[in-house]
Amino acid sequence: MVKQASLLSQLEAIVGADGVRRSDELSAFAVDGLTPQAAVAPSSYEQVAEVLRYAHTEGLAVIPHGGGTHMHIGNVPGRYDIGLSLLRLDQVVEHEPADLTVTCQAGITLDRLQRHLGQHGQLVPLGPAWGEEATIGGILAANASGPSRHAHGAPRDFTIGMKVVTADGRITKAGGRVVKNVAGYDLCKLYIGSLGTLGVIVEASFKLAPTAKVERTAVATFETPGQACAFAADLQRRGLTLRAVQLLNATAASAVELAQQGLCALVLDLAGTPQAVERSRREIGDLAQDAAADLRDEENAAKAWESRMRLGSTEEAYLLCKATALPTHLSALIESLETVDGPPHILALPAVGVLYASWPRLEDAEAAVGRLRTAVTAVDGSLVLERCPLDIKPRLDIFGDPPPSFDLMRRVKEQFDPKGVLSPGRQVGRL
Amino acid sequence: MPNSSLIRDLSRVVGRRWVLHEPEDLLVYEYDATIERGLPEAVVLPYNANQVSQVVRIARRHNAPVTARGAGTGLSGGAIPCDGGIVIVTSRMNRILEVDAGNRIAVVEPGVINQDITDAVAPHGLYFAPDPSSQKVCTIGGNVAENAGGPHCLRYGTTTNHVLGLEIVTPEGDLVWLGGKTADPPGYDLTGLVVGSEGTICIVTKVIVRLMDCPQSTVTLLAIFDEVDQASHAVSAIIGQGIVPAALEMMDRNTMRAVEEAVQAGYPPDAGAVLLIEVDGLEEETREQADSVRAVCEELGARELRIGFSAEDRERLWAGRKGALGALGRLAPSYYILDGVVPRSKLPAVLRGVYEACDSFGFQVANVFHAGDGNLHPNVMFDERVPGATQRVLDLGEVIMRLCVEAGGTITGEHGVGYEKRNYMSWIFSEDDLEVMAGVKLAFGATDLFNPGKIFPSSKGCGEVSSRMKAAIAKVGPDAYV
Amino acid sequence: MADNPPFSGPFAPSDADLSRCVHCGLCLESCPTYTETGLETESPRGRLYLIKAIAEERIEATPTVVGHLDLCLQCRNCEAVCPSGVPYGRIMEGARAELLANRPPLAWRLRALFLREVIARPRRMAAFATLLRLYRASGLRWLAERAPFLRERVILAPTISGPTFRARGVLARPRGEARGRVALLIGCIMPHAYGRVHEATVRVLARNGFEVVAPPHQACCGALNAHNGDRPTARALARRNIDAFLDAGVDAVVVNSAGCGSAMKEYGELLADDPDYAEKAKRFAGMVKDVTELLAELPLEAPTGRVEADVTFQDPCHLAHAQRITGAPRELLAAIPGLRLVEMAQPDRCCGSAGIYSLAHREMSLDLLDGKMREIAATGAEVIATANPGCMAQIEAGLRRHRRPGRVVHVVELLDEAYR
Ligand SMILES: Cc1cc2nc3c(=O)[nH]c(=O)nc-3n(C[C@H](O)[C@H](O)[C@H](O)COP(=O)(O)OP(=O)(O)OC[C@H]3O[C@@H](n4cnc5c(N)ncnc54)[C@H](O)[C@@H]3O)c2cc1C
Ligand code: SF4
Ligand code: SF4
């Protein structure tokens, strides 16, 4: 083990004095209560590589950081020596509007990237919470997605290339900058959602989407999640220009004032050409009438997603979990989660089959987690405890039982990071 | 030559009828749709995943490499057993096991034909989006292995965007599920890794595919331009308008000439290029978008626009495009189809470069390709009976691939690296990049068991490959350069 | 003759033809024998490759190799879908001819002998037909098709009932405005097995303004001989027909058997190297018309009657693939008042009849037939229309085999009914 003083001087030699964080800044790099010995913010890919080469030689554990908005996701790290901030790598590398692609550095925040693209009438169809702080690299590593995945898919669907620094400090490339590419293995898929355990993403290229000509939001309210899900399924079959469909259970809906007490809300984001949006809105209106659901337009389109942010913020969420199930099982899952020490706030994407549920406080968190797992297993879904009280977290695998392919995952981790340099222990099965 | 104990072991698993080893049986598994050739030692046609797993175990024991094969329509030599060994054919594993219309998924065996999935789910108003031009014959296993695309991948993505989970056989012979029916399974996205891995790390035995709702309305436009340049500028301009069509295809003059002879599509003989543009969605949306597309094309000098709303009219507009590849056979005894990608904005320049290169090599070229994706398919026409022509065509192919790479593109957009392009890999990937990829192979424990000789550059120089190709051609006689 | 290099004879598939196949595989799923077996050796691409390999002496024409070529139905579905225009039918006929000329397997020799010495000779054919007629009339067939061991073996044997069509010379004068004079091919098995179809054909043609003649010196078309590799016999028969029909001074030669029509349309190729006949053969081939083709080109006399029935149409391979005619029969059916056409899935997939294939490859033939019967059953149609005697017999056998009710007819028979 290296002494902290020599560690700092080594790191300073690599990233320069302004690249090394002061000791009073280290708490910002804490992960699940663990604070690193040092933290650096390199200003070039080469510096990132050198930091890793150094850590690799010395057997130090490195955890990459972006805006820090998703650092709660993952198991408690096994070891943690160096925090590696990518915030200084925050440039748009290449954006040719006619190509409808962009390449940017990993440390750029989502909002900044969107602002840049917005000037050209384009956007990257990512939309997770905390966009003003969340960085592209962090979003990819956490495989974070927002409601627009309903229409645009998840990050894996539009990420076309990456530069990644390997655990032993080599700058490597996966994919490319063109929208179609089958040369070699699709390593981007591996890095997305790897939680920083396979490599440090320093650059990414995306397929973009044009911004919609018109956007509108409508909110329908229902007595039960089942009714809301049935309505959503009906809408989807009609091929309307829906960009996002979000379902808030009664607790969540009333917290953000989207529905009266006791009703759940279905938030429908429409986006497209003017007449198509018009027609979709009309059809939704007719359907709502048939379903005897209350429907109104909502000016503040971001409101629903705001609830997702509240759902996940430290103050309000004692336990936050992400659960998945087949869309046809989603309402049953919501209903059974609502019986767990609740009521929880739940935000679901009914067509995708994903939901986020959070509990502001729990009597017995461990027992609750047990009940959640049972509920999810009953519908063949998955459960990830995205935020979890630190007193119980070390005892749990936040991902639950390892999947059937765990052995292959373990072997992949061993190949990519044999010395366990990168975010050790954070992935499923403590990889 | 046949290894009798290997044959015996295999027969015990799949039954004698489904282990082939006579010379004539092996011969017809030495090819796919490319010019590559390689004879297997034995061909097995397993009935289910369990048999595949046992076959893999036997292969391991006998130190015989295993190459999976679907329909053998691959365009990069993927299904050719370069190093001999066992070929596993999936044609008997062709059951659609489950259709869950409510959740828009289906579970199928790898030998299911792409089109059959769509046919099976059509009654539910659903379809399987990836639509390679070979979709009536190619298998989903082959699509997964190559990450196949097609005209409609511009808007809806390629195979990888439509596969949720896979059951695979590992090199140890274990059956393992990757991914699953629900979104975001925890852990690494191994499904995404296996899609496009060209059969080099595992054998796929079941596929969970995502289905899509059939669009309510579809409009097809055909825009005729005097010059290729105008058409390729129109491609960028349409995208620049904020429209991502479902499909955006281009055909140049030579292609049109061939098509005209074959199907009388009514293309003017002096036109330089046509664009075929399809938009789909709600009726209102498609009309609005069709209007914008029309305006863009006219502004960029389209001399004629045809538009189809009904299924029949649209089919008529597509007829030329669909028959194009076949029709090219009329222009020359052989053609060699290339597959490169460039950024859309570089299309005009790269296309000019392609024509110039072909001119300087003295070959005619016909371009028919997925313009919206920047995915070029130059078809070089030649006569293999002319001494040296084949080698010059291969050299020309290399020059064109270089053009794509220099423009910031890649060496394959949908056909795969396979055997043919493995030595171009080092143009776009460094030693380090390739080593990381090799790490994947090691992690799966596949090393040389599955489909050896594919994807990774050989230690030999490119000259080696070319002479191997020449040897292959000499052996089989001059014929296929699809 | 035994040790000639393979494929060096006059019928050898040409290099140019063989090298058109680029192994794209686009024909695979339309090949019935491939989809049944999943084997590349039983696919068009595989067979072409085997033929090429024999020609290049990479493999020998062993019985198993020949077996793969023999299992081909020659339905030519592959040819119809091949984008590269590979002339599959021509290649396969050439290959079979070469194989028959060089150390052929015994079964091939016997088959060729039978086709040449019985089927193609009207008198022997008539005697053979009488035997078959007896087989059915005596109740022997009824017994055999119910005997456990025999059932599978005899079900596809052709059955003969109804009066034989014996008329020759002028068969009918035009009714109404005269449109022209046409000659009818009588054929070998057709007059015995489906004399009623000839009668219907004659009436329908007359109704549409044609004088119909049957030149007395015409012969069997030779299709079966050619398919089975006996090119010399096929060529001899072709010459006879050319003489007989060209002498008759007709505007067209009408054929109501798709297999015969497709063979006759190819006389030009068959005799291309015959200095005396090459030109005549080409001219003759241009005159050949399938009866549905001819009728669909006319402003058809509107039927006065109705045929109230759900009808499904089976495309004969040699109409749909070899002659590329699929619209004409459907147009005729659509012109019949009351008739509802219910399409089956894959109507142009071979029923397994394929000339005498059903006898040579019973298992494959039955597999294909069973598939076809499932598709037919799914339509719920009570009438199955087609346009080729082989298909009619095969589907009739299928109905008996599956104990299903139903009536198998030629398209012109339905039209004929509608004119009554
Ligand atoms: C005329 C024509 C047009 C084409 N158009 C397109 C197009 O538009 N877009 C496109 O993307 N491609 C196209 N292709 C290429 C080809 O059809 C595709 O690559 C297709 O996906 C191959 O499928 P296949 O079943 O024929 O696979 P094969 O050729 O048999 O095999 C291809 C690869 O898949 C592997 N493989 C097969 N099955 C499995 C399995 N179960 N597990 C693991 N590996 C397996 C093989 O080892 C091999 O590496 C075209 C080809 C032709 C001939
Ligand atoms: S016969 Fe035609 S369709 Fe079949 S493989 Fe050859 S070229 Fe392709
Ligand atoms: S003729 Fe028919 S059976 Fe023979 S190869 Fe072609 S499609 Fe197959």
Side-chain angles (χ1 to χ4, degrees):
Chain A
M1 194 47 42
V2 209
K3 291 249 167 48
Q4 192 173 17
S6 98
L7 173 67
L8 284 174
S9 70
Q10 289 284 352
L11 290 174
E12 197 173 314
I14 298 170
V15 298
D18 56 344
V20 180
R21 292 289 163 257
R22 294 190 316 269
S23 56
D24 60 336
E25 292 170 323
L26 284 183
S27 62
F29 287 86
V31 174
D32 289 341
L34 265 69
T35 311
Q37 301 180 53
V40 291
S43 58
S44 69
Y45 302 163
E46 192 40 55
Q47 286 183 4
V48 175
E50 242 183 283
V51 170
L52 282 166
R53 275 200 294 275
Y54 169 66
H56 190 254
T57 322
E58 300 295 340
L60 300 171
V62 178
I63 297 185
H65 285 249
T69 55
H70 292 81
M71 292 310 291
H72 48 276
I73 304 176
N75 283 316
V76 177
R79 296 175 294 122
Y80 184 17
D81 302 301
I82 304 172
L84 177 63
S85 166
L86 291 146
L87 287 177
R88 286 169 78 194
L89 295 171
D90 62 352
Q91 299 301 305
V92 172
V93 178
E94 185 180 78
H95 175 226
E96 171 57 63
D99 291 341
L100 208 59
T101 57
V102 72
T103 299
C104 62
Q105 295 184 325
I108 192 171
T109 62
L110 178 58
D111 281 4
R112 240 189 80 202
L113 179 60
Q114 298 291 36
R115 273 199 301 278
H116 173 89
L117 299 171
Q119 296 163 10
H120 303 276
Q122 300 179 346
L123 58 88
V124 57
L126 288 164
W130 310 290
E132 73 281 12
E133 286 169 65
T135 62
I136 290 301
I139 289 169
L140 291 177
N143 189 21
S145 54
S148 66
R149 77 181 280 184
H150 175 93
H152 294 288
R156 79 192 291 282
D157 294 316
F158 46 84
T159 306
I160 54 179
M162 282 182 183
K163 281 222 170 90
V164 172
V165 178
T166 59
D168 58 359
R170 291 178 291 169
I171 304 169
T172 63
K173 168 180 150 183
R177 291 185 184 179
V178 283
V179 296
K180 225 167 152 191
N181 190 354
V182 295
Y185 299 140
D186 190 354
L187 297 175
C188 296
K189 299 285 189 297
L190 263 189
Y191 297 125
I192 294 173
S194 66
L195 295 174
T197 60
L198 295 179
V200 178
I201 301 168
V202 290
E203 185 181 296
S205 303
F206 299 103
K207 216 153 94 159
L208 302 176
T211 46
K213 302 231 157 51
V214 182
E215 297 179 15
R216 256 178 101 164
T217 300
V219 177
T221 54
F222 299 87
E223 278 170 13
T224 67
Q227 290 167 352
C229 284
F231 189 77
D234 201 11
L235 287 186
Q236 200 184 350
R237 271 191 296 275
R238 287 161 195 270
L240 304 181
T241 52
L242 286 164
R243 183 171 56 197
V245 177
Q246 300 167 78
L247 166 60
L248 282 72
N249 74 341
T251 316
S254 64
V256 287
E257 293 164 0
L258 274 173
Q260 289 171 322
Q261 199 71 39
L263 294 181
C264 50
L266 196 63
V267 183
L268 306 162
D269 287 344
L270 296 164
T273 56
Q275 288 172 33
V277 168
E278 186 59 36
R279 141 99 187 264
S280 300
R281 175 63 182 81
R282 218 173 35 241
E283 219 167 295
I284 292 172
D286 295 347
L287 280 169
Q289 211 157 28
D290 293 350
D294 229 29
L295 181 79
R296 64 187 161 77
D297 288 313
E298 171 65 48
E299 295 303 314
N300 184 358
K303 225 170 172 179
W305 196 237
E306 204 179 284
S307 87
R308 159 80 176 95
M309 317 229 283
R310 293 170 64 145
L311 222 63
S313 71
T314 13
E315 305 84 65
E316 304 214 7
Y318 179 65
L319 180 74
L320 164 68
C321 71
K322 170 179 174 182
T324 65
L326 286 176
T328 50
H329 293 156
L330 204 69
S331 68
L333 182 60
I334 294 174
E335 277 163 20
S336 61
L337 292 189
E338 282 190 320
T339 66
V340 178
D341 277 359
H345 293 238
I346 296 178
L347 176 109
L349 308 179
V352 183
V354 171
L355 67 79
Y356 301 90
S358 87
W359 287 259
R361 70 201 72 77
L362 282 169
E363 288 296 316
D364 180 349
E366 234 167 330
V369 168
R371 291 185 57 198
L372 296 180
R373 293 226 183 278
T374 316
V376 168
T377 313
V379 295
D380 282 334
S382 68
L383 180 80
V384 178
L385 306 171
E386 289 204 339
R387 201 186 276 287
C388 172
L390 275 182
D391 50 334
I392 64 164
K393 191 166 182 182
R395 291 200 296 276
L396 295 169
D397 188 326
I398 65 139
F399 301 98
D401 289 337
S405 54
F406 179 70
D407 190 46
L408 284 172
M409 294 181 183
R410 185 184 51 72
R411 283 150 58 169
V412 167
K413 169 74 178 174
E414 269 165 22
Q415 275 300 324
F416 279 65
D417 181 17
K419 286 195 174 176
V421 170
L422 290 166
S423 309
R426 297 221 83 193
Q427 250 294 2
V428 60
R430 301 194 194 279
L431 289 177
Chain B
M1 184 199 60
N3 175 341
S4 57
S5 79
L6 174 66
I7 305 294
R8 200 171 342 104
D9 289 354
L10 292 171
S11 304
R12 221 170 276 143
V13 172
V14 298
R16 270 177 51 200
R17 171 152 193 226
W18 303 112
V19 181
L20 313 175
H21 51 84
E22 295 297 332
E24 68 272 13
D25 290 326
L26 301 178
L27 197 67
V28 295
Y29 291 96
E30 72 166 4
Y31 55 72
D32 63 1
T34 61
I35 58 173
E36 303 296 343
R37 297 292 180 274
L39 265 183
E41 273 170 70
V43 175
V44 282
L45 293 93
Y47 181 69
N48 57 27
N50 209 1
Q51 290 189 352
V52 175
S53 117
Q54 294 184 60
V55 168
V56 167
R57 291 204 171 130
I58 291 169
R60 229 183 140 80
R61 258 204 323 276
H62 287 266
N63 252 329
V66 175
T67 302
R69 179 184 175 99
T73 67
L75 289 174
S76 55
I80 310 260
C82 292
D83 287 0
I86 300 172
V87 166
I88 294 185
V89 182
T90 58
S91 61
R92 291 175 71 220
M93 296 171 66
N94 60 355
R95 286 151 293 227
I96 295 177
L97 302 171
E98 185 188 334
V99 173
D100 179 349
N103 291 306
R104 295 176 176 71
I105 50 183
V107 185
V108 303
E109 290 188 316
V112 169
I113 307 299
N114 174 303
Q115 177 77 45
D116 288 353
I117 302 181
T118 291
D119 290 349
V121 302
H124 304 286
L126 300 171
Y127 74 111
F128 179 59
D131 61 341
S133 313
S134 50
Q135 74 183 132
K136 284 193 179 141
V137 292
C138 66
T139 66
I140 182 75
N143 295 167
V144 166
E146 304 289 8
N147 187 13
H152 289 85
C153 291
L154 174 56
R155 175 144 179 205
Y156 298 111
T158 54
T159 304
T160 191
N161 305 112
H162 301 272
V163 170
L164 298 171
L166 297 167
E167 183 194 60
I168 61 159
V169 172
T170 67
E172 283 91 21
D174 296 333
L175 276 171
V176 181
W177 270 104
L178 314 178
K181 294 178 181 173
T182 54
D184 301 348
Y188 302 132
D189 181 2
L190 298 180
T191 308
L193 185 64
V194 168
V195 177
S197 64
E198 305 192 16
T200 58
I201 53 180
C202 61
I203 311 281
V204 173
T205 49
K206 284 184 191 85
V207 188
I208 305 177
V209 296
R210 192 165 75 97
L211 305 170
M212 310 245 311
D213 293 279
C214 296
Q216 247 194 14
S217 94
T218 308
V219 180
T220 307
L221 293 106
L222 185 112
I224 302 175
F225 293 88
D226 287 332
E227 301 295 335
V228 170
D229 239 37
Q230 293 172 320
S232 42
H233 279 118
V235 172
S236 295
I238 291 168
I239 307 266
Q241 284 282 305
I243 298 169
V244 180
L248 176 40
E249 304 278 304
M250 195 195 298
M251 285 185 275
D252 69 358
R253 177 174 295 147
N254 277 339
T255 313
M256 283 192 280
R257 220 179 61 212
V259 168
E260 198 49 42
E261 270 180 45
V263 297
Q264 288 85 43
Y267 301 141
D270 58 335
V274 296
L275 288 184
L276 197 62
I277 308 138
E278 189 155 286
V279 290
D280 64 16
L282 284 184
E283 210 174 310
E284 287 77 359
E285 196 176 13
T286 52
R287 278 184 199 272
E288 284 172 293
Q289 294 193 336
D291 285 346
S292 315
V293 168
R294 186 204 297 256
V296 171
C297 290
E298 274 166 0
E299 193 173 313
L300 285 167
R303 67 142 91 156
E304 188 187 333
L305 269 151
R306 299 178 194 166
I307 186 159
F309 294 99
S310 69
E312 299 86 70
D313 287 348
R314 293 196 302 105
E315 202 161 302
R316 209 160 308 129
L317 295 178
W318 272 103
R321 168 65 182 92
K322 291 201 170 141
L325 215 53
L328 289 181
R330 290 161 197 265
L331 296 186
S334 305
Y335 54 95
Y336 181 56
I337 179 170
L338 293 151
D339 169 38
V341 188
V342 299
R344 284 177 267 251
S345 57
K346 300 278 170 49
L347 265 182
V350 173
L351 271 176
R352 273 195 302 272
V354 168
Y355 288 115
E356 277 162 22
C358 293
D359 264 0
S360 75
F361 274 77
F363 290 113
Q364 287 238 54
V365 65
N367 282 292
V368 40
F369 63 102
H370 316 306
D373 285 319
N375 189 181
L376 294 167
H377 288 320
N379 297 278
V380 182
M381 290 173 279
F382 67 110
D383 185 345
E384 71 287 325
R385 286 165 296 200
V386 176
T390 307
Q391 184 56 48
R392 287 219 325 288
V393 166
L394 294 173
D395 293 346
L396 169 61
E398 196 172 322
V399 169
I400 292 175
M401 282 295 117
R402 282 252 186 230
L403 282 176
C404 294
V405 171
E406 277 157 19
T410 187
I411 56 168
T412 171
E414 54 180 24
H415 294 165
V417 177
Y419 190 82
E420 204 180 87
K421 288 185 176 167
R422 58 186 190 153
N423 286 321
Y424 304 165
M425 283 288 276
S426 47
W427 299 353
I428 50 173
F429 292 114
S430 68
E431 287 280 316
D432 284 342
D433 303 341
L434 291 167
E435 227 179 280
V436 175
M437 286 187 196
V440 168
K441 213 171 158 176
L442 286 176
F444 273 74
T447 52
D448 273 342
L449 183 68
F450 289 150
N451 216 353
K454 307 292 164 65
I455 299 184
F456 294 95
S458 63
S459 44
K460 304 163 203 153
C462 295
E464 282 292 320
V465 174
S466 299
S467 71
R468 207 197 109 96
M469 282 189 184
K470 268 190 285 182
I473 295 156
K475 195 166 72 183
V476 300
D479 50 356
Y481 299 91
V482 169
Chain C
M1 105 171 183
D3 280 304
N4 290 341
F7 293 178
S8 53
F11 311 125
S14 76
D15 238 19
D17 278 359
L18 279 174
S19 66
R20 288 198 84 134
C21 174
V22 294
H23 333 121
C24 66
L26 292 186
C27 52
L28 293 177
E29 286 299 305
S30 45
C31 173
T33 56
Y34 175 75
T35 52
E36 280 298 321
T37 61
L39 294 170
E40 188 75 22
T41 39
E42 311 302 353
S43 77
R45 181 171 63 172
R47 291 186 176 119
L48 289 165
Y49 206 69
L50 290 179
I51 291 173
K52 194 155 187 239
I54 298 173
E56 287 165 358
E57 300 186 63
R58 285 186 72 196
I59 53 170
E60 279 181 50
T62 61
T64 46
V65 174
V66 172
H68 297 310
L69 304 185
D70 201 41
L71 199 62
C72 169
L73 296 149
Q74 290 180 290
C75 68
R76 292 165 69 176
N77 208 337
C78 50
E79 188 171 320
V81 300
C82 170
S84 305
V86 173
Y88 182 92
R90 184 160 81 202
I91 293 173
M92 181 53 86
E93 273 186 17
R96 288 191 179 189
E98 286 294 318
L99 291 170
L100 194 66
N102 274 293
R103 280 188 299 179
L106 182 65
W108 280 38
R109 286 209 305 260
L110 291 177
R111 216 154 69 199
L113 194 72
F114 171 73
L115 290 174
R116 185 173 65 233
E117 299 303 331
V118 178
I119 303 290
R121 299 198 181 227
R123 252 189 243 124
R124 292 181 192 161
M125 178 63 220
F128 180 59
T130 307
L131 282 178
L132 287 171
R133 193 183 292 279
L134 271 172
Y135 167 66
R136 177 177 182 273
S138 66
L140 209 58
R141 184 184 82 174
W142 191 91
L143 278 175
E145 287 185 359
R146 274 156 187 79
F149 290 113
L150 280 178
R151 191 165 50 214
E152 296 275 292
R153 287 163 209 277
V154 299
I155 188 77
L156 295 178
T159 62
I160 306 264
S161 64
T164 297
F165 186 92
R166 294 183 196 282
R168 298 293 185 271
V170 177
L171 304 178
R173 304 265 175 222
R175 282 182 51 184
E177 185 200 339
R179 281 216 177 88
R181 178 175 149 96
V182 297
L184 179 69
L185 174 81
I186 299 296
C188 50
I189 304 173
M190 191 78 175
H192 302 287
Y194 296 106
R196 60 171 215 258
V197 175
H198 276 343
E199 280 158 17
T201 304
V202 172
R203 281 194 295 270
V204 168
L205 288 171
R207 174 70 173 249
N208 280 284
F210 289 104
E211 176 178 359
V212 189
V213 299
H217 296 296
Q218 60 175 294
C220 159
C221 70
L224 294 179
N225 312 80
H227 292 167
N228 288 285
D230 188 356
R231 296 273 275 210
T233 303
R235 282 155 66 98
L237 291 169
R239 287 191 202 96
R240 254 182 71 189
N241 277 327
I242 289 168
D243 291 341
F245 282 99
L246 287 184
D247 279 354
V250 290
D251 305 317
V253 177
V254 178
V255 187
N256 54 16
S257 151
C260 308
S262 97
M264 292 164 77
K265 284 181 177 177
E266 284 162 13
Y267 276 1
E269 280 174 25
L270 186 66
L271 295 171
D273 59 353
D274 182 328
D276 295 336
Y277 276 85
E279 186 275 328
K280 277 195 276 185
K282 251 171 106 175
R283 186 149 46 88
F284 172 84
M287 290 167 64
V288 177
K289 292 247 182 229
D290 187 79
V291 63
T292 61
E293 184 185 12
L294 180 84
L295 291 170
E297 282 169 7
L298 303 175
L300 194 72
E301 276 298 305
T304 41
R306 296 175 72 81
V307 177
E308 292 290 347
D310 288 338
V311 178
T312 192
F313 179 70
Q314 156 71 17
D315 287 283
C317 296
H318 283 91
L319 196 61
H321 307 138
Q323 302 184 53
R324 311 281 165 100
I325 296 173
T326 52
R330 290 180 170 79
E331 280 168 39
L332 298 183
L333 291 174
I336 298 175
L339 186 148
R340 292 166 300 275
L341 179 63
V342 201
E343 292 280 4
M344 68 179 97
Q346 295 188 291
D348 67 341
R349 190 180 154 90
C350 184
C351 62
S353 159
I356 58 161
Y357 185 94
S358 50
L359 306 179
H361 300 285
R362 184 169 32 84
E363 266 179 49
M364 177 62 74
S365 179
L366 284 176
D367 284 348
L368 294 176
L369 177 59
D370 290 345
K372 183 58 69 184
M373 296 317 292
R374 272 194 298 279
E375 303 297 4
I376 289 175
T379 64
E382 66 260 33
V383 178
I384 303 104
T386 182
N388 189 48
C391 310
M392 291 173 71
Q394 178 85 347
I395 294 170
E396 279 167 358
L399 291 174
R400 293 201 306 279
R401 176 174 160 83
H402 291 263
R403 308 265 161 87
R404 280 183 50 84
R407 184 161 83 101
V408 183
V409 294
H410 192 290
V411 172
V412 288
E413 289 185 89
L414 292 174
L415 200 54
D416 181 43
E417 281 171 34
Y419 281 137
R420 288 206 203 130

